[in-house]
Amino acid sequence: GGSLFLSLAAIETDPDIQESWQRTLARLDCDLSFKDYSELVVRVHNLFFRGWENVDSLDKFQRQLEIVLDSLGGHFLLSRFPLEAKALDIVSKIKDDFASLSFSRARFSLSQIWNIFKQELDSARISFSGSPLEGTQVLGLLETRSLQFKNVLVLDANEGVLPKLKSAEPLIPSEVMMSLGLGRIQKEEEVQHYNFRRLIEGAESAYLIWAKNPAQEKSRFIESIIWEREKKANKSNFDRALKIAFSFSFPRPAKAVKKLPEVIQYLRGCAYSASRLNAYLECPLRFYYKYVLGLNEREGAREGVKEAQIGDFIHRLLFEAYGGFLGREPVFDSKFKKYFKELFNSQYQKEIEPRMRSGHFLLKGIIQARLMKFLEEEERRKPDILRIEALEKKYIDFFDLGRLKIKFKYVVDRIDSCRGSRLMIIDYKTGGRDNTIGRLSGLENMKLSRWQIKEKIKSFQLPLYCYFIRERFKDKDVGAYVYNLRTAEIRPFLLEEGQKQKEKVLDCCLKALKFILNELLDPDVPFEAEKGSRSCSYCPYYNACS
């Protein structure tokens, strides 16, 4: 309509914006209704815009900041990006500092509060950790004092970075400092220059690296070295720096790995699981590295707690908490909730807290809040539950390929016996991956190829559970459900209604399973890297695929 700006309400309700959003999601193969879109946008606006409108003190600021940190802390993907997680820890520390100030309730304008917060962020630092006795060390200039290295690389040796000087003193004007004979900036430059020269002159080899462009110049420290060499050689233009340009490209996948007779023999005799088949669906070469060669990621290679470790912790907690209900009807009264909270606190303190650094309380609060929501949903479902049949139950079954029976090992999180002779296979999910299967029409038109199966079925976990448990309990109506512990929602993995549709959907899944197993055992189909997969960037075998 010619307006330069849009209100938040317009963004939330405008049909043209919603339609554009819908088209974008359709291209990404993501199904989101107008209602879901509106709720999501309102949540974002409340979190990052509306919540800050009435902030007029540092106390209110830190409380709103805590809400944002709680929301961000709930995304376990942060464990894959350690620098971002450390940055949030620093923001959390600033929040705590604001809360402890004696004048935290004093009135300030919003711009003043943001300026204070920005100053705190500007002075914050994220340090790199490492051993001083081996490997490559990433150090600040002052950290190199009294140390000598064989090889030194000075990165980003540009003016403004080396030396790093603050041009103004917040309390005392520079003119006053100069009149008193206190040249703080000059002293600071001398200290940095001394440490710089001592570092490079004490090394066998020193490499000074800087960016060259119209907006940046090399450091004055490097200019002084060039000037000394020009005087010594009695000639100018002594700058003989190498010019290096970097180009970035993704490595090409490794050549396909042929299946040797010994590998085929191993594949025929080994025990499979849903996670193994899912790994093959994602990338056959990754399956080869992990399950055939047995190359596993080194434990402890990354700091902090990973998403999978959080999931394991929650699974163990629920197994222990529900152990007393095995074979009988569960009771979710105040006594059980008190026991559950105490068990959570003790298990978290023993398993998770020792691996966490500052900010672990944030993660603890998020997990505890979600588990309390989970118990509320359990209490709502209680009238339908007759008894809990199994918890973390291990099974071994065989899948008939005709010429060969394939051994499967699997662990079912939980099986509930419900009214109407129904069995509910429940799979707890702590991550964001959705393992539910769509409509029958999409499966019936699915071509039997690994790419189509990965797109349509996503995971063989629940189809396998449903198939094997039905064979064991033939007199029961067996259904498989995903229990999302993030949202406390329980959803059937077969979205079709009606028994006939469920049977057809499961038949499609079993046909796809036979196709994948036959392809896996086919000596003429090599293990080939998945081309252009988004998971390549965090695959532990990434470097082996170049």
Side-chain angles (χ1 to χ4, degrees):
S3 300
L4 292 177
F5 301 100
L6 289 174
S7 67
L8 297 182
I11 295 173
E12 294 163 0
T13 59
D14 187 273
D16 292 334
I17 297 177
Q18 290 185 351
E19 185 178 351
S20 175
W21 176 274
Q22 198 81 5
R23 288 197 302 268
T24 302
L25 289 177
R27 291 196 299 269
L28 298 175
D29 226 6
C30 179
D31 185 19
L32 194 68
S33 67
F34 284 167
K35 180 182 177 183
D36 294 335
Y37 158 82
S38 299
E39 291 176 353
L40 180 61
V41 175
V42 169
R43 284 177 57 193
V44 171
H45 286 172
N46 291 340
L47 192 64
F48 293 106
F49 294 97
R50 292 192 179 100
W52 303 92
E53 290 175 352
N54 297 319
V55 170
D56 58 1
S57 68
L58 293 174
D59 179 62
K60 289 183 179 179
F61 184 89
Q62 66 89 15
R63 278 187 276 167
Q64 181 61 27
L65 193 59
E66 184 174 15
I67 294 173
V68 174
L69 289 174
D70 287 344
S71 178
L72 295 177
H75 295 277
F76 296 140
L77 282 176
L78 283 175
S79 61
R80 295 175 179 156
F81 305 101
L83 289 183
E84 281 83 343
K86 289 184 177 181
L88 286 185
D89 286 343
I90 288 177
V91 175
S92 179
K93 182 180 181 302
I94 295 174
K95 174 190 71 68
D96 294 339
D97 292 341
F98 281 6
S100 62
L101 292 173
S102 60
F103 56 89
S104 64
R105 296 182 184 274
R107 291 290 185 92
F108 291 93
S109 69
L110 190 54
S111 60
Q112 288 174 326
I113 295 174
W114 278 108
N115 285 334
I116 295 172
F117 179 63
K118 185 177 183 300
Q119 288 176 14
E120 290 294 314
L121 284 181
D122 288 341
S123 62
R125 295 289 181 269
I126 297 177
S127 60
F128 291 88
S129 59
S131 168
L133 301 179
E134 61 180 355
T136 301
Q137 303 305 306
V138 181
L139 302 172
L141 191 58
L142 292 180
E143 293 176 297
T144 65
R145 290 173 295 181
S146 303
L147 297 177
Q148 286 185 316
F149 300 92
K150 183 177 180 181
N151 299 301
V152 171
L153 289 85
V154 181
L155 305 178
D156 206 7
N158 286 90
E159 189 64 22
V161 179
L162 186 69
K164 182 72 172 179
L165 303 172
K166 290 185 178 180
S167 59
E169 181 68 37
L171 298 177
I172 306 175
S174 58
E175 293 81 2
V176 176
M177 296 284 287
M178 292 297 292
S179 65
L180 295 174
L182 301 176
R184 185 189 61 81
I185 296 178
Q186 288 76 8
K187 292 292 184 183
E188 178 64 26
E189 181 180 345
E190 289 176 9
V191 170
Q192 294 188 31
H193 193 197
Y194 169 78
N195 287 319
F196 170 75
R197 293 302 292 260
R198 191 186 186 287
L199 173 65
I200 64 174
E201 290 174 6
E204 292 184 17
S205 301
Y207 301 88
L208 310 179
I209 304 169
W210 66 90
K212 186 176 181 181
N213 58 59
Q216 292 178 297
E217 297 180 1
K218 66 174 76 71
S219 169
R220 66 188 75 174
F221 295 168
I222 297 176
E223 293 285 8
S224 67
I225 295 174
I226 295 173
W227 173 235
E228 289 171 6
R229 294 192 175 187
E230 287 178 344
K231 288 192 296 184
K232 187 175 181 179
N234 198 24
K235 64 178 182 179
S236 60
N237 298 324
F238 203 80
D239 186 357
R240 297 179 179 175
L242 294 175
K243 295 180 180 179
I244 302 174
F246 296 96
S247 59
F248 297 92
S249 61
F250 292 101
R252 294 181 179 179
K255 293 181 179 179
V257 177
K258 293 182 178 180
K259 295 174 184 173
L260 300 176
E262 300 91 325
V263 172
I264 296 295
Q265 185 177 358
Y266 167 77
L267 293 174
R268 286 172 172 265
C270 72
Y272 288 87
S273 64
S275 59
R276 288 195 173 201
L277 292 181
N278 293 341
Y280 182 82
L281 278 180
E282 188 65 38
C283 177
L285 194 58
R286 181 173 182 172
F287 172 90
Y288 171 75
Y289 286 138
K290 185 171 184 178
Y291 294 110
V292 178
L293 297 185
L295 302 177
N296 292 316
E297 191 175 6
R298 186 177 64 181
E299 289 295 326
R302 299 175 184 172
E303 297 180 359
V305 179
K306 301 178 183 179
E307 180 181 348
Q309 292 169 331
I310 296 292
D312 292 342
F313 161 74
I314 293 177
H315 277 72
R316 287 192 296 271
L317 174 71
L318 293 177
F319 172 73
E320 188 168 346
Y322 277 69
F325 299 144
L326 191 60
R328 66 185 185 90
E329 182 181 358
V331 178
F332 304 106
D333 55 11
S334 58
K335 182 179 179 181
F336 173 75
K337 291 179 180 178
K338 181 181 178 182
Y339 161 72
F340 188 89
K341 288 182 180 179
E342 292 174 351
L343 180 64
F344 169 81
N345 288 327
S346 63
Q347 295 292 79
Y348 186 92
Q349 187 176 10
K350 182 172 65 175
E351 295 187 33
I352 303 298
E353 202 163 302
R355 304 176 185 176
M356 301 295 293
R357 295 191 175 184
S358 60
H360 66 82
F361 65 91
L362 192 64
L363 178 63
K364 181 180 180 181
I366 292 168
I367 298 175
Q368 188 172 28
R370 288 176 175 170
L371 287 176
M372 290 302 103
K373 285 186 177 180
F374 163 75
L375 287 185
E376 290 175 4
E377 176 64 19
E378 286 286 86
E379 194 170 9
R380 188 192 66 79
R381 290 182 56 245
K382 181 183 177 301
D384 192 46
I385 305 174
L386 294 177
R387 62 181 174 275
I388 295 180
E389 295 285 352
L391 290 171
E392 298 291 334
K393 180 73 173 179
K394 297 180 180 179
Y395 293 99
I396 296 178
D397 280 304
F398 291 86
F399 187 81
D400 193 355
L401 277 182
R403 54 189 175 87
L404 183 68
K405 289 188 176 181
I406 303 297
K407 183 179 181 181
F408 275 90
K409 292 182 178 180
Y410 58 102
V411 180
V412 178
D413 292 340
R414 177 174 150 193
I415 300 177
D416 288 353
S417 182
C418 300
R419 301 188 185 280
S421 297
R422 292 184 298 113
L423 277 185
M424 288 183 62
I425 304 169
I426 296 177
D427 184 57
Y428 298 129
K429 287 297 177 188
T430 57
R433 182 167 181 170
D434 183 6
N435 288 342
T436 56
I437 291 179
R439 299 298 176 187
L440 176 62
S441 57
L443 294 178
E444 288 182 327
N445 297 326
M446 174 181 65
K447 295 181 180 179
L448 288 180
S449 68
R450 185 176 61 82
W451 298 275
Q452 280 279 304
I453 293 171
K454 180 174 72 170
E455 179 184 353
K456 299 293 184 181
I457 295 182
K458 305 172 189 175
S459 171
F460 280 114
Q461 184 179 25
L462 291 178
L464 280 171
Y465 290 179
C466 202
Y467 170 72
F468 286 133
I469 298 300
R470 284 200 329 171
E471 293 297 308
R472 288 175 174 268
F473 299 90
K474 294 186 177 181
D475 59 331
K476 300 284 186 179
D477 178 14
V478 178
Y481 295 80
V482 177
Y483 218 139
N484 190 325
L485 296 176
R486 286 189 173 190
T487 60
E489 293 178 338
I490 186 167
R491 297 177 62 191
F493 106 94
L494 298 175
L495 298 182
E496 291 284 353
E497 296 182 358
Q499 190 61 32
K500 290 184 178 180
Q501 285 80 1
K502 289 181 181 179
E503 294 289 340
K504 291 180 179 179
V505 169
L506 190 58
D507 286 343
C508 291
C509 293
L510 295 178
K511 288 179 182 178
L513 175 62
K514 288 182 180 180
F515 175 84
I516 290 297
L517 288 172
N518 283 321
E519 181 182 285
L520 185 59
L521 299 173
D522 190 345
D524 297 326
V525 179
F527 293 111
E528 190 173 8
E530 177 71 6
K531 298 177 182 178
S533 175
R534 288 181 292 180
S535 62
C536 288
S537 57
Y538 52 85
C539 175
Y541 313 104
Y542 178 79
N543 292 325
C545 287
S546 56

